[in-house]
Amino acid sequence: ITHPTEGRIDVQGRVGSLLEVGTGFHEELTGRENIYMNGSILGMRKREIDKSLDQIVDFADIGEFLDTPIKRYSSGMRMRLGFSVAAHLSTDVLFVDEVLAVGDIGFQKKCLGAMRELAEGGRTVVFVSHNSAAVESLCTRAIWISDGRVKADGNVTEILRAYVGTFAVPG
């Protein structure tokens, strides 16, 4: 993360981010304890976490390991737990960066479905990714940024076609 060199943003509403799954997890704490800590770091209040706890655990599919220290979790289990906490944030805008780069296909589909539900529920999801299939599946608009500048903005299929075209091998 770097400081912006120029520009401006006006924020109205609650903004959350899922930039690195599991940021703030503590190895010695259990999955349950890390849900509360990570949720707090992401801006959730205890009562919000209490209300969403069962859904977070069900989505992450770690039920039998909930009270086990996460130092015993696989990287996939940590990723599922981190995504699940962030997916249950009550935000108006959610920034998601390459979260689908890890995890099995089933969980990736589950994540896409969750982000789609958030968007259909009236929230804005800003999905930053190099995964063109995921972008095409999830997004209604694409913005191609290159060297810190907007190179193209518009229809997802057209933007992806132009982006992928820059990697064509001459000949």
Side-chain angles (χ1 to χ4, degrees), residues 31-33 35-36 49-67 73 77 80-85 88 107 110:
R32 180 187 313 272
E33 292 165 333
I35 289 170
Y36 280 92
I49 300 169
D50 289 341
K51 183 179 170 188
S52 300
L53 184 64
D54 290 339
Q55 294 169 307
I56 291 169
V57 173
D58 288 344
F59 190 92
D61 196 24
I62 57 146
E64 66 186 272
F65 301 99
L66 183 61
D67 294 309
Y73 284 23
M77 291 170 69
R80 290 195 313 265
L81 184 60
F83 180 88
S84 187
V85 172
H88 289 86
F107 188 71
K110 196 176 188 179

Short mmCIF file of all heavy atoms in Angstrom, two decimals, residues 31-33 35-36 49-67 73 77 80-85 88 107 110:
data_model
loop_
_atom_site.label_atom_id
_atom_site.label_comp_id
_atom_site.label_asym_id
_atom_site.label_seq_id
_atom_site.Cartn_x
_atom_site.Cartn_y
_atom_site.Cartn_z
N GLY A 31 -9.90 -20.12 16.14
CA GLY A 31 -10.66 -19.58 15.03
C GLY A 31 -11.73 -18.62 15.52
O GLY A 31 -11.91 -17.52 14.98
N ARG A 32 -12.44 -19.01 16.57
CA ARG A 32 -13.49 -18.15 17.14
C ARG A 32 -12.91 -16.82 17.60
O ARG A 32 -13.43 -15.75 17.28
CB ARG A 32 -14.16 -18.86 18.32
CG ARG A 32 -15.27 -18.05 18.98
CD ARG A 32 -15.80 -18.72 20.25
NE ARG A 32 -16.08 -20.13 20.09
CZ ARG A 32 -17.25 -20.64 19.67
NH1 ARG A 32 -18.24 -19.83 19.38
NH2 ARG A 32 -17.42 -21.94 19.56
N GLU A 33 -11.82 -16.86 18.35
CA GLU A 33 -11.20 -15.64 18.86
C GLU A 33 -10.71 -14.76 17.71
O GLU A 33 -10.83 -13.54 17.76
CB GLU A 33 -10.06 -15.98 19.81
CG GLU A 33 -10.54 -16.63 21.10
CD GLU A 33 -9.43 -17.32 21.88
OE1 GLU A 33 -8.43 -17.76 21.29
OE2 GLU A 33 -9.59 -17.43 23.12
N ILE A 35 -12.00 -14.65 14.72
CA ILE A 35 -13.16 -14.04 14.07
C ILE A 35 -13.48 -12.71 14.74
O ILE A 35 -13.68 -11.70 14.08
CB ILE A 35 -14.39 -14.98 14.12
CG1 ILE A 35 -14.19 -16.17 13.18
CG2 ILE A 35 -15.67 -14.21 13.76
CD1 ILE A 35 -15.24 -17.27 13.33
N TYR A 36 -13.49 -12.72 16.07
CA TYR A 36 -13.78 -11.48 16.80
C TYR A 36 -12.69 -10.44 16.61
O TYR A 36 -12.98 -9.26 16.38
CB TYR A 36 -14.02 -11.77 18.29
CG TYR A 36 -15.41 -12.30 18.54
CD1 TYR A 36 -15.67 -13.66 18.54
CD2 TYR A 36 -16.47 -11.43 18.74
CE1 TYR A 36 -16.95 -14.14 18.74
CE2 TYR A 36 -17.75 -11.90 18.95
CZ TYR A 36 -17.99 -13.26 18.95
OH TYR A 36 -19.27 -13.73 19.14
N ILE A 49 -20.71 -9.11 15.05
CA ILE A 49 -20.02 -10.40 14.94
C ILE A 49 -20.86 -11.48 15.61
O ILE A 49 -21.05 -12.57 15.05
CB ILE A 49 -18.61 -10.33 15.56
CG1 ILE A 49 -17.77 -9.28 14.83
CG2 ILE A 49 -17.93 -11.70 15.49
CD1 ILE A 49 -16.45 -8.94 15.52
N ASP A 50 -21.40 -11.19 16.80
CA ASP A 50 -22.27 -12.14 17.49
C ASP A 50 -23.42 -12.59 16.57
O ASP A 50 -23.72 -13.77 16.47
CB ASP A 50 -22.88 -11.53 18.76
CG ASP A 50 -21.88 -11.33 19.88
OD1 ASP A 50 -20.80 -11.97 19.86
OD2 ASP A 50 -22.18 -10.51 20.79
N LYS A 51 -24.04 -11.62 15.92
CA LYS A 51 -25.18 -11.88 15.04
C LYS A 51 -24.79 -12.72 13.83
O LYS A 51 -25.56 -13.55 13.36
CB LYS A 51 -25.79 -10.54 14.58
CG LYS A 51 -27.01 -10.66 13.73
CD LYS A 51 -27.52 -9.28 13.35
CE LYS A 51 -28.60 -9.39 12.29
NZ LYS A 51 -28.99 -8.08 11.77
N SER A 52 -23.57 -12.53 13.32
CA SER A 52 -23.12 -13.21 12.10
C SER A 52 -22.25 -14.44 12.35
O SER A 52 -21.87 -15.11 11.39
CB SER A 52 -22.32 -12.23 11.24
OG SER A 52 -23.09 -11.12 10.88
N LEU A 53 -21.94 -14.74 13.60
CA LEU A 53 -20.97 -15.79 13.91
C LEU A 53 -21.30 -17.12 13.24
O LEU A 53 -20.44 -17.73 12.59
CB LEU A 53 -20.81 -15.97 15.42
CG LEU A 53 -19.74 -16.98 15.83
CD1 LEU A 53 -18.35 -16.53 15.39
CD2 LEU A 53 -19.78 -17.20 17.34
N ASP A 54 -22.53 -17.59 13.39
CA ASP A 54 -22.89 -18.89 12.81
C ASP A 54 -22.75 -18.89 11.29
O ASP A 54 -22.27 -19.86 10.70
CB ASP A 54 -24.32 -19.29 13.20
CG ASP A 54 -24.44 -19.63 14.68
OD1 ASP A 54 -23.40 -19.96 15.30
OD2 ASP A 54 -25.57 -19.60 15.20
N GLN A 55 -23.14 -17.78 10.66
CA GLN A 55 -23.02 -17.69 9.20
C GLN A 55 -21.55 -17.66 8.78
O GLN A 55 -21.18 -18.26 7.77
CB GLN A 55 -23.71 -16.43 8.69
CG GLN A 55 -25.21 -16.44 8.88
CD GLN A 55 -25.81 -15.07 8.59
OE1 GLN A 55 -25.37 -14.06 9.16
NE2 GLN A 55 -26.79 -15.04 7.71
N ILE A 56 -20.72 -16.95 9.53
CA ILE A 56 -19.28 -16.88 9.23
C ILE A 56 -18.67 -18.27 9.31
O ILE A 56 -17.95 -18.70 8.40
CB ILE A 56 -18.57 -15.90 10.19
CG1 ILE A 56 -19.00 -14.46 9.91
CG2 ILE A 56 -17.05 -16.04 10.08
CD1 ILE A 56 -18.56 -13.45 10.96
N VAL A 57 -18.98 -18.99 10.38
CA VAL A 57 -18.43 -20.34 10.58
C VAL A 57 -18.94 -21.29 9.51
O VAL A 57 -18.16 -22.08 8.95
CB VAL A 57 -18.77 -20.85 12.00
CG1 VAL A 57 -18.37 -22.30 12.17
CG2 VAL A 57 -18.10 -19.98 13.05
N ASP A 58 -20.24 -21.23 9.20
CA ASP A 58 -20.80 -22.11 8.16
C ASP A 58 -20.16 -21.84 6.81
O ASP A 58 -19.81 -22.76 6.08
CB ASP A 58 -22.31 -21.93 8.05
CG ASP A 58 -23.07 -22.53 9.22
OD1 ASP A 58 -22.47 -23.33 9.97
OD2 ASP A 58 -24.25 -22.18 9.40
N PHE A 59 -20.00 -20.55 6.45
CA PHE A 59 -19.42 -20.20 5.16
C PHE A 59 -17.98 -20.69 5.07
O PHE A 59 -17.55 -21.21 4.05
CB PHE A 59 -19.49 -18.69 4.94
CG PHE A 59 -19.13 -18.26 3.55
CD1 PHE A 59 -20.11 -18.12 2.58
CD2 PHE A 59 -17.81 -18.02 3.19
CE1 PHE A 59 -19.79 -17.74 1.28
CE2 PHE A 59 -17.47 -17.64 1.90
CZ PHE A 59 -18.46 -17.50 0.94
N ALA A 60 -17.22 -20.50 6.15
CA ALA A 60 -15.80 -20.89 6.16
C ALA A 60 -15.63 -22.41 6.21
O ALA A 60 -14.57 -22.93 5.86
CB ALA A 60 -15.08 -20.24 7.33
N ASP A 61 -16.66 -23.12 6.68
CA ASP A 61 -16.64 -24.58 6.76
C ASP A 61 -15.50 -25.06 7.66
O ASP A 61 -14.72 -25.95 7.30
CB ASP A 61 -16.53 -25.18 5.35
CG ASP A 61 -16.88 -26.67 5.34
OD1 ASP A 61 -17.60 -27.12 6.24
OD2 ASP A 61 -16.40 -27.37 4.43
N ILE A 62 -15.41 -24.45 8.84
CA ILE A 62 -14.36 -24.83 9.80
C ILE A 62 -14.97 -25.24 11.14
O ILE A 62 -14.26 -25.28 12.14
CB ILE A 62 -13.36 -23.67 10.04
CG1 ILE A 62 -14.09 -22.42 10.53
CG2 ILE A 62 -12.54 -23.37 8.81
CD1 ILE A 62 -13.31 -21.61 11.50
N GLY A 63 -16.25 -25.56 11.15
CA GLY A 63 -16.98 -25.81 12.39
C GLY A 63 -16.27 -26.63 13.43
O GLY A 63 -16.14 -26.23 14.58
N GLU A 64 -15.75 -27.80 13.06
CA GLU A 64 -15.13 -28.66 14.06
C GLU A 64 -13.79 -28.13 14.56
O GLU A 64 -13.26 -28.60 15.56
CB GLU A 64 -14.97 -30.08 13.52
CG GLU A 64 -14.00 -30.20 12.35
CD GLU A 64 -14.00 -31.60 11.77
OE1 GLU A 64 -13.21 -32.43 12.28
OE2 GLU A 64 -14.75 -31.83 10.83
N PHE A 65 -13.24 -27.14 13.87
CA PHE A 65 -11.95 -26.57 14.25
C PHE A 65 -12.08 -25.17 14.85
O PHE A 65 -11.08 -24.51 15.10
CB PHE A 65 -11.01 -26.50 13.04
CG PHE A 65 -10.76 -27.84 12.42
CD1 PHE A 65 -11.46 -28.24 11.30
CD2 PHE A 65 -9.86 -28.72 13.00
CE1 PHE A 65 -11.24 -29.48 10.74
CE2 PHE A 65 -9.63 -29.97 12.45
CZ PHE A 65 -10.34 -30.36 11.31
N LEU A 66 -13.31 -24.72 15.08
CA LEU A 66 -13.57 -23.36 15.53
C LEU A 66 -12.79 -22.99 16.79
O LEU A 66 -12.30 -21.88 16.92
CB LEU A 66 -15.07 -23.15 15.75
CG LEU A 66 -15.51 -21.76 16.15
CD1 LEU A 66 -15.14 -20.75 15.08
CD2 LEU A 66 -17.01 -21.75 16.40
N ASP A 67 -12.66 -23.93 17.72
CA ASP A 67 -11.98 -23.65 18.98
C ASP A 67 -10.56 -24.19 19.03
O ASP A 67 -9.99 -24.37 20.11
CB ASP A 67 -12.84 -24.15 20.14
CG ASP A 67 -14.14 -23.36 20.23
OD1 ASP A 67 -14.07 -22.12 20.25
OD2 ASP A 67 -15.22 -23.98 20.25
N TYR A 73 -4.25 -24.57 11.61
CA TYR A 73 -5.06 -24.52 10.39
C TYR A 73 -4.16 -24.61 9.15
O TYR A 73 -3.03 -24.12 9.16
CB TYR A 73 -5.82 -23.19 10.29
CG TYR A 73 -7.02 -23.04 11.18
CD1 TYR A 73 -7.19 -23.76 12.35
CD2 TYR A 73 -8.01 -22.11 10.85
CE1 TYR A 73 -8.30 -23.58 13.16
CE2 TYR A 73 -9.12 -21.93 11.64
CZ TYR A 73 -9.26 -22.67 12.80
OH TYR A 73 -10.36 -22.49 13.60
N MET A 77 -7.71 -23.17 5.11
CA MET A 77 -8.66 -22.91 6.20
C MET A 77 -8.58 -21.46 6.65
O MET A 77 -9.60 -20.82 6.89
CB MET A 77 -8.39 -23.85 7.38
CG MET A 77 -8.72 -25.30 7.10
SD MET A 77 -8.11 -26.40 8.40
CE MET A 77 -9.18 -25.96 9.77
N ARG A 80 -10.24 -19.29 3.99
CA ARG A 80 -11.70 -19.39 4.05
C ARG A 80 -12.25 -18.58 5.23
O ARG A 80 -13.25 -17.87 5.09
CB ARG A 80 -12.13 -20.85 4.15
CG ARG A 80 -11.89 -21.63 2.88
CD ARG A 80 -12.63 -22.96 2.85
NE ARG A 80 -12.53 -23.75 4.05
CZ ARG A 80 -11.65 -24.74 4.25
NH1 ARG A 80 -10.77 -25.03 3.33
NH2 ARG A 80 -11.66 -25.41 5.38
N LEU A 81 -11.58 -18.68 6.37
CA LEU A 81 -12.04 -17.94 7.55
C LEU A 81 -11.92 -16.43 7.33
O LEU A 81 -12.86 -15.69 7.62
CB LEU A 81 -11.25 -18.38 8.78
CG LEU A 81 -11.70 -17.75 10.10
CD1 LEU A 81 -13.16 -18.11 10.40
CD2 LEU A 81 -10.80 -18.23 11.24
N GLY A 82 -10.79 -15.99 6.80
CA GLY A 82 -10.60 -14.56 6.55
C GLY A 82 -11.61 -14.01 5.57
O GLY A 82 -12.18 -12.93 5.78
N PHE A 83 -11.86 -14.74 4.47
CA PHE A 83 -12.84 -14.27 3.49
C PHE A 83 -14.22 -14.23 4.11
O PHE A 83 -14.98 -13.29 3.92
CB PHE A 83 -12.86 -15.16 2.23
CG PHE A 83 -13.86 -14.66 1.23
CD1 PHE A 83 -13.50 -13.71 0.29
CD2 PHE A 83 -15.18 -15.10 1.25
CE1 PHE A 83 -14.42 -13.22 -0.62
CE2 PHE A 83 -16.12 -14.62 0.35
CZ PHE A 83 -15.74 -13.67 -0.59
N SER A 84 -14.55 -15.25 4.88
CA SER A 84 -15.87 -15.33 5.48
C SER A 84 -16.15 -14.15 6.41
O SER A 84 -17.24 -13.58 6.39
CB SER A 84 -16.03 -16.65 6.23
OG SER A 84 -17.34 -16.81 6.69
N VAL A 85 -15.16 -13.79 7.22
CA VAL A 85 -15.34 -12.64 8.11
C VAL A 85 -15.60 -11.39 7.27
O VAL A 85 -16.57 -10.65 7.50
CB VAL A 85 -14.11 -12.43 9.03
CG1 VAL A 85 -14.23 -11.12 9.81
CG2 VAL A 85 -13.96 -13.60 10.00
N HIS A 88 -18.98 -10.91 5.57
CA HIS A 88 -20.11 -10.62 6.45
C HIS A 88 -20.04 -9.21 7.06
O HIS A 88 -20.79 -8.88 7.97
CB HIS A 88 -20.21 -11.69 7.53
CG HIS A 88 -20.68 -13.00 6.97
ND1 HIS A 88 -19.81 -13.92 6.42
CD2 HIS A 88 -21.92 -13.51 6.83
CE1 HIS A 88 -20.50 -14.95 5.98
NE2 HIS A 88 -21.78 -14.73 6.21
N PHE A 107 -14.55 -23.45 -3.30
CA PHE A 107 -14.57 -22.26 -2.45
C PHE A 107 -14.53 -21.00 -3.29
O PHE A 107 -15.17 -20.00 -2.96
CB PHE A 107 -13.43 -22.28 -1.43
CG PHE A 107 -13.55 -21.17 -0.43
CD1 PHE A 107 -14.54 -21.20 0.54
CD2 PHE A 107 -12.71 -20.07 -0.48
CE1 PHE A 107 -14.68 -20.16 1.45
CE2 PHE A 107 -12.85 -19.04 0.43
CZ PHE A 107 -13.82 -19.08 1.40
N LYS A 110 -17.94 -20.31 -4.33
CA LYS A 110 -18.69 -19.84 -3.16
C LYS A 110 -18.41 -18.35 -2.93
O LYS A 110 -19.32 -17.57 -2.65
CB LYS A 110 -18.28 -20.68 -1.95
CG LYS A 110 -19.18 -20.59 -0.76
CD LYS A 110 -18.64 -21.59 0.28
CE LYS A 110 -19.53 -21.75 1.45
NZ LYS A 110 -19.02 -22.72 2.43
#
